[in-house]
Amino acid sequence: MRIDRINVYSAQLPVKNGVYRMASADVEALDSTLVEIVTDDGFAGWGETCPIGPVYQPHHALGARAAIAEIAPGLIGLEIASIRLLAKQMDERLNGHGYAKAAFDMAFLDLLGQKLGVPVSTLLGGALTDRVPTYYSLIVGPPDETAKIAADKVKAGYPRLQVKIGGRNLEEDVAVVHKVWEAVGYRARIAVDGNRGLTVAAAIHLDRLCQEVPFVFEQPCNTMDEIATLKGRVTHPVYLDESTEDQNAVLRAISLGIADGFGFKVTRLGGLTKMTTVRDLCAIRSLPHSCDDAWGGDIIAAACVHLAATAEPRRMEGAWIAQEYIKGHFDQKHPVVIKQGHIAVPQRPGLGVKPEPGMFGKPVAIYGP
Protein backbone atom coordinates (compact mmCIF):
# COMPACT_ATOMS: atom_id res chain seq x y z
CA MET A 1 0.00 0.00 0.00
CA ARG A 2 1.81 3.07 -1.31
CA ILE A 3 0.80 6.71 -1.43
CA ASP A 4 -0.44 7.58 -4.90
CA ARG A 5 -2.09 10.99 -4.42
CA ILE A 6 -2.71 13.57 -1.70
CA ASN A 7 -5.72 15.86 -1.92
CA VAL A 8 -6.02 18.89 0.37
CA TYR A 9 -9.37 20.55 1.11
CA SER A 10 -10.58 23.58 3.03
CA ALA A 11 -13.86 23.42 4.95
CA GLN A 12 -15.48 26.46 6.56
CA LEU A 13 -17.05 25.69 9.95
CA PRO A 14 -19.24 28.57 11.18
CA VAL A 15 -19.85 28.69 14.93
CA LYS A 16 -23.44 27.71 15.68
CA ASN A 17 -25.54 30.23 17.62
CA GLY A 18 -23.09 33.10 17.38
CA VAL A 19 -19.61 33.67 18.77
CA TYR A 20 -17.28 31.36 20.69
CA ARG A 21 -15.72 33.70 23.25
CA MET A 22 -12.44 33.12 25.09
CA ALA A 23 -10.06 35.38 26.99
CA SER A 24 -7.79 35.80 23.95
CA ALA A 25 -10.24 35.92 21.04
CA ASP A 26 -13.82 35.85 19.74
CA VAL A 27 -14.31 33.26 17.01
CA GLU A 28 -17.19 33.23 14.52
CA ALA A 29 -15.97 30.70 11.94
CA LEU A 30 -13.12 28.23 11.58
CA ASP A 31 -11.11 27.22 8.51
CA SER A 32 -10.42 23.50 8.73
CA THR A 33 -7.81 21.82 6.53
CA LEU A 34 -8.44 18.22 5.48
CA VAL A 35 -5.94 15.82 3.97
CA GLU A 36 -7.05 12.82 1.90
CA ILE A 37 -4.32 10.29 1.12
CA VAL A 38 -5.20 7.90 -1.72
CA THR A 39 -3.14 4.71 -2.12
CA ASP A 40 -2.25 2.65 -5.15
CA ASP A 41 -4.59 -0.16 -4.03
CA GLY A 42 -7.66 2.05 -3.71
CA PHE A 43 -7.76 2.98 -0.02
CA ALA A 44 -8.37 6.56 1.14
CA GLY A 45 -7.29 7.84 4.55
CA TRP A 46 -8.30 11.16 6.10
CA GLY A 47 -6.69 13.65 8.46
CA GLU A 48 -7.66 17.11 9.69
CA THR A 49 -6.17 20.13 11.41
CA CYS A 50 -8.25 23.13 12.48
CA PRO A 51 -6.56 25.95 14.43
CA ILE A 52 -9.06 28.07 16.37
CA GLY A 53 -7.92 31.28 14.70
CA PRO A 54 -4.37 32.65 14.56
CA VAL A 55 -4.13 33.81 18.21
CA TYR A 56 -5.09 30.87 20.44
CA GLN A 57 -1.92 28.91 19.53
CA PRO A 58 1.05 29.61 17.23
CA HIS A 59 -0.94 27.92 14.43
CA HIS A 60 -3.12 29.19 11.61
CA ALA A 61 -4.97 27.67 8.66
CA LEU A 62 -2.83 29.16 5.90
CA GLY A 63 0.28 28.08 7.80
CA ALA A 64 -1.02 24.51 7.93
CA ARG A 65 -1.55 24.42 4.18
CA ALA A 66 1.86 25.99 3.51
CA ALA A 67 3.47 23.30 5.70
CA ILE A 68 1.49 20.57 3.92
CA ALA A 69 2.80 21.93 0.59
CA GLU A 70 6.38 21.41 1.82
CA ILE A 71 5.73 17.89 3.11
CA ALA A 72 3.31 16.29 0.66
CA PRO A 73 5.48 15.97 -2.47
CA GLY A 74 8.05 13.94 -0.53
CA LEU A 75 5.45 11.40 0.58
CA ILE A 76 4.31 10.31 -2.88
CA GLY A 77 5.30 6.69 -3.50
CA LEU A 78 6.05 5.88 0.14
CA GLU A 79 4.64 2.71 1.70
CA ILE A 80 2.06 2.89 4.50
CA ALA A 81 3.62 0.43 6.91
CA SER A 82 5.87 2.07 9.50
CA ILE A 83 4.27 5.17 11.04
CA ARG A 84 7.59 6.07 12.64
CA LEU A 85 9.37 5.95 9.28
CA LEU A 86 6.72 8.17 7.73
CA ALA A 87 7.16 10.64 10.61
CA LYS A 88 10.91 10.63 9.95
CA GLN A 89 10.28 11.38 6.29
CA MET A 90 8.08 14.34 7.25
CA ASP A 91 10.71 15.70 9.63
CA GLU A 92 13.28 15.50 6.85
CA ARG A 93 11.01 17.63 4.66
CA LEU A 94 10.11 20.26 7.27
CA ASN A 95 11.22 21.14 10.79
CA GLY A 96 8.48 21.64 13.37
CA HIS A 97 4.89 22.46 12.31
CA GLY A 98 3.47 19.52 14.25
CA TYR A 99 -0.09 20.75 13.81
CA ALA A 100 0.20 20.21 10.04
CA LYS A 101 2.00 16.88 10.39
CA ALA A 102 -0.80 15.74 12.70
CA ALA A 103 -3.23 15.65 9.77
CA PHE A 104 -0.90 13.28 7.91
CA ASP A 105 -0.43 11.14 11.03
CA MET A 106 -4.21 10.70 11.35
CA ALA A 107 -4.50 9.76 7.69
CA PHE A 108 -1.62 7.23 7.94
CA LEU A 109 -3.28 5.53 10.91
CA ASP A 110 -6.67 5.62 9.17
CA LEU A 111 -5.14 3.83 6.18
CA LEU A 112 -3.25 1.29 8.25
CA GLY A 113 -6.35 0.51 10.30
CA GLN A 114 -8.40 0.00 7.15
CA LYS A 115 -5.75 -2.26 5.66
CA LEU A 116 -5.51 -4.38 8.83
CA GLY A 117 -9.25 -4.30 9.53
CA VAL A 118 -8.90 -2.74 13.00
CA PRO A 119 -9.94 0.61 14.54
CA VAL A 120 -7.27 3.22 15.18
CA SER A 121 -7.64 2.73 18.94
CA THR A 122 -6.17 -0.75 18.47
CA LEU A 123 -3.13 0.72 16.71
CA LEU A 124 -2.66 3.13 19.63
CA GLY A 125 -2.38 0.32 22.17
CA GLY A 126 -5.97 -0.87 22.51
CA ALA A 127 -9.20 0.60 23.85
CA LEU A 128 -10.01 0.26 27.56
CA THR A 129 -13.64 1.31 27.09
CA ASP A 130 -16.26 1.48 24.36
CA ARG A 131 -17.33 5.03 25.22
CA VAL A 132 -15.48 8.03 26.62
CA PRO A 133 -16.67 11.03 28.65
CA THR A 134 -16.67 14.48 27.13
CA TYR A 135 -17.15 17.89 28.73
CA TYR A 136 -18.97 21.09 27.89
CA SER A 137 -17.07 24.34 27.39
CA LEU A 138 -18.90 27.39 28.76
CA ILE A 139 -17.71 30.47 26.88
CA VAL A 140 -16.91 33.78 28.59
CA GLY A 141 -20.35 35.16 29.46
CA PRO A 142 -22.52 36.78 32.17
CA PRO A 143 -22.64 34.90 35.51
CA ASP A 144 -26.37 34.10 35.62
CA GLU A 145 -26.57 33.04 31.97
CA THR A 146 -23.46 30.88 32.30
CA ALA A 147 -24.83 29.19 35.43
CA LYS A 148 -28.12 28.40 33.68
CA ILE A 149 -26.33 26.77 30.75
CA ALA A 150 -24.14 24.85 33.19
CA ALA A 151 -27.17 23.43 34.98
CA ASP A 152 -28.79 22.47 31.67
CA LYS A 153 -25.66 20.66 30.47
CA VAL A 154 -25.30 18.70 33.71
CA LYS A 155 -28.94 17.68 33.39
CA ALA A 156 -28.11 16.51 29.84
CA GLY A 157 -25.47 14.16 31.25
CA TYR A 158 -22.17 16.03 31.00
CA PRO A 159 -19.88 14.85 33.82
CA ARG A 160 -17.52 17.83 33.54
CA LEU A 161 -17.76 21.54 32.76
CA GLN A 162 -15.05 23.89 31.56
CA VAL A 163 -15.75 27.50 32.57
CA LYS A 164 -13.98 30.09 30.40
CA ILE A 165 -12.77 33.22 32.17
CA GLY A 166 -10.44 36.15 31.46
CA GLY A 167 -10.39 39.25 29.27
CA ARG A 168 -12.66 41.19 31.66
CA ASN A 169 -12.94 42.37 35.29
CA LEU A 170 -11.78 39.86 37.86
CA GLU A 171 -14.96 40.42 39.87
CA GLU A 172 -17.09 39.06 37.03
CA ASP A 173 -14.88 35.98 36.68
CA VAL A 174 -15.19 35.31 40.40
CA ALA A 175 -18.96 35.72 40.20
CA VAL A 176 -19.17 33.23 37.32
CA VAL A 177 -17.24 30.58 39.25
CA HIS A 178 -19.49 30.96 42.30
CA LYS A 179 -22.70 30.98 40.24
CA VAL A 180 -21.74 27.84 38.32
CA TRP A 181 -20.85 26.05 41.55
CA GLU A 182 -24.17 27.06 43.12
CA ALA A 183 -25.97 25.74 40.03
CA VAL A 184 -24.26 22.34 39.71
CA GLY A 185 -22.45 21.56 42.98
CA TYR A 186 -20.89 18.12 43.07
CA ARG A 187 -23.00 16.86 40.16
CA ALA A 188 -20.17 17.72 37.75
CA ARG A 189 -16.42 18.32 37.93
CA ILE A 190 -15.43 21.91 37.14
CA ALA A 191 -12.39 23.28 35.33
CA VAL A 192 -11.86 27.04 35.31
CA ASP A 193 -9.97 27.88 32.12
CA GLY A 194 -8.06 31.14 31.87
CA ASN A 195 -6.77 30.48 28.33
CA ARG A 196 -3.56 32.33 29.30
CA GLY A 197 -5.60 35.46 30.08
CA LEU A 198 -4.71 36.15 33.74
CA THR A 199 -1.70 37.74 35.33
CA VAL A 200 -0.04 35.84 38.17
CA ALA A 201 -1.55 38.32 40.64
CA ALA A 202 -5.06 37.91 39.19
CA ALA A 203 -4.74 34.11 39.29
CA ILE A 204 -3.79 34.20 42.97
CA HIS A 205 -6.64 36.60 43.76
CA LEU A 206 -9.21 34.41 41.96
CA ASP A 207 -7.90 31.29 43.67
CA ARG A 208 -8.34 32.86 47.11
CA LEU A 209 -11.71 34.46 46.37
CA CYS A 210 -13.02 31.06 45.19
CA GLN A 211 -11.23 28.96 47.79
CA GLU A 212 -14.33 27.03 48.85
CA VAL A 213 -15.25 26.01 45.28
CA PRO A 214 -13.58 22.75 44.14
CA PHE A 215 -12.18 23.16 40.64
CA VAL A 216 -9.02 22.66 38.62
CA PHE A 217 -7.36 25.83 37.36
CA GLU A 218 -6.54 25.37 33.66
CA GLN A 219 -3.77 27.47 32.03
CA PRO A 220 -4.48 30.63 34.02
CA CYS A 221 -1.35 32.47 32.85
CA ASN A 222 0.44 32.94 29.55
CA THR A 223 3.71 31.06 30.01
CA MET A 224 4.97 28.00 31.80
CA ASP A 225 7.39 30.19 33.77
CA GLU A 226 4.51 32.31 35.07
CA ILE A 227 2.55 29.21 36.03
CA ALA A 228 5.61 27.80 37.80
CA THR A 229 5.47 30.79 40.19
CA LEU A 230 1.97 29.72 41.29
CA LYS A 231 3.28 26.54 42.89
CA GLY A 232 2.67 26.70 46.64
CA ARG A 233 0.70 29.95 46.29
CA VAL A 234 -2.66 28.62 45.10
CA THR A 235 -4.88 25.97 46.65
CA HIS A 236 -6.49 24.62 43.46
CA PRO A 237 -4.78 22.05 41.21
CA VAL A 238 -3.24 23.68 38.14
CA TYR A 239 -3.48 22.12 34.67
CA LEU A 240 -1.44 23.13 31.65
CA ASP A 241 -2.97 23.43 28.19
CA GLU A 242 -1.59 25.98 25.72
CA SER A 243 1.93 25.72 27.18
CA THR A 244 2.20 22.07 26.11
CA GLU A 245 3.39 22.89 22.61
CA ASP A 246 5.36 19.68 22.16
CA GLN A 247 6.44 16.51 23.96
CA ASN A 248 9.44 18.22 25.50
CA ALA A 249 7.23 20.87 27.11
CA VAL A 250 5.11 18.14 28.70
CA LEU A 251 8.23 16.35 29.98
CA ARG A 252 9.57 19.63 31.40
CA ALA A 253 6.29 20.39 33.19
CA ILE A 254 6.18 16.91 34.72
CA SER A 255 9.85 17.06 35.73
CA LEU A 256 9.41 20.45 37.41
CA GLY A 257 6.24 19.31 39.16
CA ILE A 258 4.30 22.41 38.08
CA ALA A 259 1.35 20.60 36.46
CA ASP A 260 -1.28 18.60 38.31
CA GLY A 261 -2.86 17.59 35.00
CA PHE A 262 -3.12 18.58 31.36
CA GLY A 263 -5.49 19.64 28.62
CA PHE A 264 -3.90 18.03 25.58
CA LYS A 265 -4.59 18.92 21.95
CA VAL A 266 -3.88 16.19 19.41
CA THR A 267 -2.76 18.47 16.57
CA ARG A 268 -0.71 20.79 18.80
CA LEU A 269 1.37 17.82 19.98
CA GLY A 270 1.96 16.59 16.44
CA GLY A 271 -0.66 13.87 16.05
CA LEU A 272 -1.97 10.69 17.61
CA THR A 273 1.35 8.85 17.50
CA LYS A 274 3.14 11.52 19.54
CA MET A 275 0.15 11.82 21.85
CA THR A 276 0.63 8.21 22.93
CA THR A 277 4.01 9.20 24.40
CA VAL A 278 2.55 11.95 26.61
CA ARG A 279 -0.37 9.67 27.51
CA ASP A 280 2.13 7.14 28.84
CA LEU A 281 4.19 9.79 30.65
CA CYS A 282 1.02 10.88 32.44
CA ALA A 283 0.26 7.26 33.32
CA ILE A 284 3.68 6.89 34.93
CA ARG A 285 3.09 9.93 37.17
CA SER A 286 -0.68 9.29 37.55
CA LEU A 287 -1.57 12.68 36.06
CA PRO A 288 -5.07 13.24 34.67
CA HIS A 289 -5.48 14.71 31.20
CA SER A 290 -7.91 15.27 28.37
CA CYS A 291 -7.67 14.18 24.71
CA ASP A 292 -9.00 17.15 22.76
CA ASP A 293 -8.36 19.40 19.87
CA ALA A 294 -8.91 23.10 19.36
CA TRP A 295 -11.73 22.61 16.83
CA GLY A 296 -12.67 20.55 13.78
CA GLY A 297 -15.22 18.14 12.32
CA ASP A 298 -15.75 14.39 12.46
CA ILE A 299 -12.16 13.49 11.48
CA ILE A 300 -10.56 15.27 14.43
CA ALA A 301 -13.42 14.17 16.68
CA ALA A 302 -12.87 10.50 15.82
CA ALA A 303 -9.12 10.84 16.36
CA CYS A 304 -9.62 12.35 19.84
CA VAL A 305 -12.10 9.65 20.85
CA HIS A 306 -9.88 6.78 19.65
CA LEU A 307 -6.99 8.10 21.73
CA ALA A 308 -9.15 8.85 24.78
CA ALA A 309 -10.38 5.24 24.74
CA THR A 310 -6.80 4.02 25.27
CA ALA A 311 -6.17 6.12 28.39
CA GLU A 312 -6.84 4.81 31.89
CA PRO A 313 -10.48 5.88 32.57
CA ARG A 314 -9.78 7.24 36.07
CA ARG A 315 -7.22 9.66 34.59
CA MET A 316 -9.32 10.63 31.56
CA GLU A 317 -10.77 14.13 31.93
CA GLY A 318 -12.69 13.80 28.68
CA ALA A 319 -12.46 14.14 24.92
CA TRP A 320 -13.75 17.56 23.93
CA ILE A 321 -15.16 17.77 20.40
CA ALA A 322 -16.75 20.74 18.61
CA GLN A 323 -20.06 19.03 17.83
CA GLU A 324 -22.11 21.33 20.08
CA TYR A 325 -20.82 24.38 18.19
CA ILE A 326 -20.99 23.35 14.52
CA LYS A 327 -23.80 22.30 12.20
CA GLY A 328 -23.91 18.89 10.56
CA HIS A 329 -21.33 16.17 10.09
CA PHE A 330 -18.74 15.16 7.52
CA ASP A 331 -20.03 11.58 7.72
CA GLN A 332 -23.82 11.41 7.85
CA LYS A 333 -23.89 7.59 8.13
CA HIS A 334 -21.37 7.22 10.95
CA PRO A 335 -21.12 10.61 12.70
CA VAL A 336 -19.23 11.14 15.93
CA VAL A 337 -21.93 12.33 18.34
CA ILE A 338 -22.32 13.19 22.02
CA LYS A 339 -25.02 11.32 23.91
CA GLN A 340 -25.60 12.04 27.59
CA GLY A 341 -22.15 13.55 27.98
CA HIS A 342 -20.32 10.59 26.41
CA ILE A 343 -19.10 9.55 22.96
CA ALA A 344 -19.12 6.02 21.55
CA VAL A 345 -15.73 4.84 20.27
CA PRO A 346 -15.93 4.14 16.51
CA GLN A 347 -15.62 0.40 15.88
CA ARG A 348 -15.17 0.36 12.10
CA PRO A 349 -11.66 -0.07 10.65
CA GLY A 350 -9.43 3.00 10.69
CA LEU A 351 -10.89 6.20 12.10
CA GLY A 352 -14.35 4.84 11.34
CA VAL A 353 -15.59 7.97 9.57
CA LYS A 354 -15.60 8.93 5.88
CA PRO A 355 -16.57 12.38 4.57
CA GLU A 356 -19.45 12.40 2.11
CA PRO A 357 -18.10 12.35 -1.47
CA GLY A 358 -17.72 15.83 -2.94
CA MET A 359 -18.83 17.65 0.20
CA PHE A 360 -15.69 19.81 0.33
CA GLY A 361 -15.79 20.75 -3.34
CA LYS A 362 -12.59 20.82 -5.38
CA PRO A 363 -9.26 20.31 -3.60
CA VAL A 364 -7.27 23.47 -2.88
CA ALA A 365 -4.14 21.44 -3.72
CA ILE A 366 -3.32 18.05 -5.27
CA TYR A 367 0.01 16.26 -4.98
CA GLY A 368 0.91 13.24 -7.07
CA PRO A 369 0.26 12.09 -10.64
Side-chain angles (χ1 to χ4, degrees), residues 239-267:
Y239 283 23
L240 290 183
D241 186 342
E242 291 92 334
S243 287
T244 57
E245 293 184 1
D246 52 31
Q247 292 170 310
N248 188 60
V250 177
L251 181 60
R252 178 181 169 222
I254 294 173
S255 299
L256 293 174
I258 62 174
D260 301 301
F262 296 94
F264 287 140
K265 303 293 186 289
V266 170
T267 54

Side-chain angles (χ1 to χ4, degrees), residues 24-369:
S24 59
D26 291 350
V27 181
E28 296 182 10
L30 286 302
D31 183 357
S32 190
T33 300
L34 296 109
V35 171
E36 179 190 25
I37 299 179
V38 181
T39 65
D40 58 356
D41 49 358
F43 287 92
W46 287 86
E48 183 180 11
T49 185
C50 185
I52 184 166
V55 177
Y56 172 67
Q57 300 172 149
H59 309 161
H60 64 110
L62 294 179
R65 294 198 276 274
I68 287 168
E70 292 288 339
I71 296 167
L75 300 178
I76 303 302
L78 296 184
E79 186 176 1
I80 302 292
S82 168
I83 303 298
R84 290 172 64 86
L85 182 58
L86 289 164
K88 180 175 180 292
Q89 295 288 339
M90 288 197 291
D91 289 342
E92 290 175 354
R93 296 282 303 184
L94 181 68
N95 187 28
H97 296 78
Y99 71 111
K101 293 173 181 176
F104 286 111
D105 182 67
M106 288 178 210
F108 298 153
L109 289 165
D110 189 20
L111 285 166
L112 194 57
Q114 291 178 55
K115 183 72 172 179
L116 298 175
V118 299
V120 162
S121 57
T122 298
L123 302 177
L124 301 177
L128 298 176
T129 180
D130 60 2
R131 70 173 198 152
V132 299
T134 184
Y135 59 90
Y136 189 82
S137 181
L138 296 153
I139 63 173
V140 174
D144 288 330
E145 180 183 330
T146 303
K148 182 181 183 304
I149 297 171
D152 289 343
K153 293 305 176 181
V154 172
K155 190 178 296 184
Y158 280 89
R160 185 178 190 253
L161 300 170
Q162 182 191 65
V163 183
K164 300 285 189 184
I165 62 166
R168 60 183 177 183
N169 291 332
L170 182 66
E171 292 84 354
E172 196 165 8
D173 285 336
V174 171
V176 164
V177 174
H178 282 282
K179 286 285 187 180
V180 169
W181 170 242
E182 290 169 10
V184 305
Y186 287 105
R187 292 181 295 143
R189 304 190 314 281
I190 297 173
V192 174
D193 186 7
N195 284 126
R196 301 181 294 126
L198 302 183
T199 63
V200 170
I204 292 171
H205 279 311
L206 188 140
D207 172 79
R208 292 178 183 175
L209 291 168
C210 300
Q211 201 160 12
E212 74 280 13
V213 180
F215 64 81
V216 299
F217 213 167
E218 184 174 344
Q219 193 74 42
C221 306
N222 186 36
T223 67
M224 196 182 297
D225 289 335
E226 289 174 68
I227 289 174
T229 69
L230 297 177
K231 188 175 181 180
R233 303 167 76 187
V234 295
T235 57
H236 292 92
V238 175
Y239 283 23
L240 290 183
D241 186 342
E242 291 92 334
S243 287
T244 57
E245 293 184 1
D246 52 31
Q247 292 170 310
N248 188 60
V250 177
L251 181 60
R252 178 181 169 222
I254 294 173
S255 299
L256 293 174
I258 62 174
D260 301 301
F262 296 94
F264 287 140
K265 303 293 186 289
V266 170
T267 54
R268 182 172 64 217
L269 281 158
L272 291 169
T273 303
K274 290 191 175 182
M275 272 285 290
T276 60
T277 301
V278 298
R279 174 202 64 193
D280 294 343
L281 285 173
C282 287
I284 292 168
R285 288 293 182 91
S286 196
L287 291 168
H289 62 88
S290 65
C291 292
D292 313 327
D293 216 280
W295 209 267
D298 285 311
I299 304 300
I300 281 181
C304 293
V305 173
H306 277 292
L307 182 66
T310 69
E312 176 64 41
R314 68 187 180 90
R315 287 191 295 272
M316 175 42 50
E317 290 282 24
W320 186 88
I321 64 173
Q323 182 206 328
E324 290 267 19
Y325 302 95
I326 57 179
K327 294 180 180 178
H329 293 276
F330 295 165
D331 186 338
Q332 298 295 334
K333 293 181 180 178
H334 304 96
V336 181
V337 296
I338 299 169
K339 292 183 179 179
Q340 296 182 324
H342 292 76
I343 309 168
V345 181
Q347 299 300 312
R348 300 166 68 234
L351 288 173
V353 294
K354 286 286 183 188
E356 303 293 327
M359 75 172 302
F360 303 128
K362 293 182 179 180
V364 296
I366 300 174
Y367 305 93

